Amino acid sequence: MTASAPAPAATPPPPYWAVIFTSLRTPGDHGYAQTAAAMVELGARQPGYLGIESARDADGLGITVSYWASLDAIAAGKAVGDHLAAQRAGRARWYRAYTTRIARVERAYGFSADDAAR
Amino acid sequence: MTASAPAPAATPPPPYWAVIFTSLRTPGDHGYAQTAAAMVELGARQPGYLGIESARDADGLGITVSYWASLDAIAAGKAVGDHLAAQRAGRARWYRAYTTRIARVERAYGFSADDAAR
């Protein structure tokens, strides 16, 4: 699964962890698109990675939620991501503002027309 | 604050709760835009509401995260939202797929260029 896959992530039953990253971009790319794609690819190869969902509005607000099996998996994934971002000029150039929230998913439920049609 | 406010939600220090709603729209509006706006407005008036962030990609994947002081506040907000959606033809017409995840936010940190410039 990649960041642009147009579907909710197929996560296992809770509990698991979510990293909710909400951001407002600066104008211009500054190497962002390439680095974001590399970070998604790198993240997906980390142990404990469960999936990712990402959307960015026309007005510049973006939300990326990645799912992880444990806090240790989040910490390892963050170290890899921070290193890559630092190498490539960094977040201060890409974002006007961002908030990262780490949350424990306790319940999940959903609906898919594809499942319903089976 | 509304769903379209282009900034991360200004939430208090953790712990608090997040409802992560990831969805894939069906083609066409079917009364969706108006109902979504009404739900956001109604939600913001519920006790324990802390804020909302929302983004939808050009490819149709949307992520809305609402923040709440407690599980009780989420349950009350959900009852109000479900009632409104049911009145207006409902989610099965609007969404090809959706997943709702309820998560307890344990940590949060961020950056804002506006704060940094102060």
Side-chain angles (χ1 to χ4, degrees), chain B residues 2-117:
Chain B
T2 70
S4 60
T11 40
Y16 52 88
W17 292 81
V19 178
I20 308 165
F21 181 75
T22 308
S23 66
L24 198 58
R25 286 289 321 280
T26 48
D29 186 71
H30 309 294
Y32 169 80
Q34 200 187 10
T35 304
M39 286 176 73
V40 166
E41 202 179 310
L42 207 57
R45 278 189 268 140
Q46 299 309 304
Y49 169 89
L50 300 178
I52 195 165
E53 296 162 346
S54 197
R56 187 169 298 279
D57 243 20
D59 69 6
L61 186 75
I63 303 175
T64 297
V65 190
S66 58
Y67 299 101
W68 303 85
S70 68
L71 279 177
D72 284 349
I74 290 174
K78 182 180 185 304
V80 167
D82 284 352
H83 183 65
L84 193 65
Q87 279 180 325
R88 302 201 183 176
R91 291 176 177 146
R93 286 191 67 187
W94 296 328
Y95 301 117
R96 247 178 62 202
Y98 66 78
T99 301
T100 300
R101 294 179 176 94
I102 298 176
R104 187 181 140 103
V105 178
E106 305 282 356
R107 282 185 56 203
Y109 54 91
F111 160 84
S112 166
D114 300 335
D115 294 345

Side-chain angles (χ1 to χ4, degrees), chain A residues 18-29:
Chain A
V19 178
I20 307 166
F21 181 74
T22 308
S23 65
L24 198 58
R25 285 292 318 279
T26 49
D29 187 72

